[in-house]
Amino acid sequence: MVEEGEPAPTFTLTSDSGEDVSLESFRGQPVVLYFYPKDDTPGCTAQARGIRDVWGEFQKKGAVVLGVSPDSPRKHVKFREKYGLPFTLLSDEDHAVADEYGTWVEKSMYGKTYMGMERSTFVIDADGNVAKIMRKVKPADHADDVLAVL
């Protein structure tokens, strides 16, 4: 399990642009790594639009924002274009990175249990260490809560 103060697990995932993106490539900058369940759903859209709407504040803090979900890169392209998202979306289709960060969890809805993505954010400092873990974040408050940590 990932813990605050520990090195963030490294990974390489395919982005919405089809390129491989490695966490290591952002060393020297703070990284906001946020895991979300599914593109173009109400909560995930509110969360992404919240970041978009204060994007200038993230830029002022020098932060890189990476959104991660099990959706395909092609779905990410549509989601990003539809809402004009200025940050990178990464595809974790086999949920290997989510497993490593402890965000692929058992969930339940209407009495049925299933495995899915927990809406969680990891703020990683410029040295590659986990500075803050935010679990079960609320989409409407997410951007402001993350900016307060940065």
Side-chain angles (χ1 to χ4, degrees):
M1 187 64 104
V2 177
E3 294 189 26
E4 290 180 5
E6 297 292 319
T10 60
F11 61 83
T12 300
L13 290 172
T14 304
S15 74
D16 51 86
S17 66
E19 297 176 17
D20 285 344
V21 173
S22 173
L23 181 61
E24 284 291 309
S25 67
F26 300 108
R27 191 62 65 96
Q29 299 173 270
V31 175
V32 175
L33 180 66
Y34 85 93
F35 292 86
Y36 66 99
K38 189 169 177 54
D39 289 341
D40 214 9
T41 57
C44 298
T45 299
Q47 185 175 17
R49 289 172 64 183
I51 295 169
R52 178 203 66 195
D53 292 349
V54 292
W55 183 244
E57 296 301 313
F58 282 93
Q59 289 183 305
K60 284 179 189 173
K61 295 181 183 278
V64 172
V65 176
L66 303 172
V68 180
S69 88
D71 288 315
S72 70
R74 186 167 51 231
K75 285 184 180 179
H76 283 336
V77 168
K78 290 178 183 177
F79 184 49
R80 190 170 179 194
E81 288 177 353
K82 183 175 181 178
Y83 295 103
L85 304 178
F87 51 88
T88 301
L89 301 177
L90 301 175
S91 180
D92 187 20
E93 291 180 277
D94 64 358
H95 53 81
V97 175
D99 278 335
E100 199 163 3
Y101 277 81
T103 62
W104 190 254
V105 299
E106 186 175 279
K107 300 172 97 176
S108 65
M109 184 181 290
Y110 306 118
K112 294 186 178 192
T113 59
Y114 62 97
M115 296 301 289
M117 188 74 79
E118 176 185 81
R119 192 181 307 279
S120 297
T121 298
F122 298 80
V123 178
I124 301 165
D125 67 22
D127 295 323
N129 296 313
V130 177
K132 182 73 175 171
I133 298 173
M134 305 163 76
R135 300 243 181 228
K136 299 181 181 178
V137 299
K138 304 242 181 294
D141 303 328
H142 181 246
D144 290 338
D145 290 346
V146 172
L147 285 170
V149 171
L150 290 170

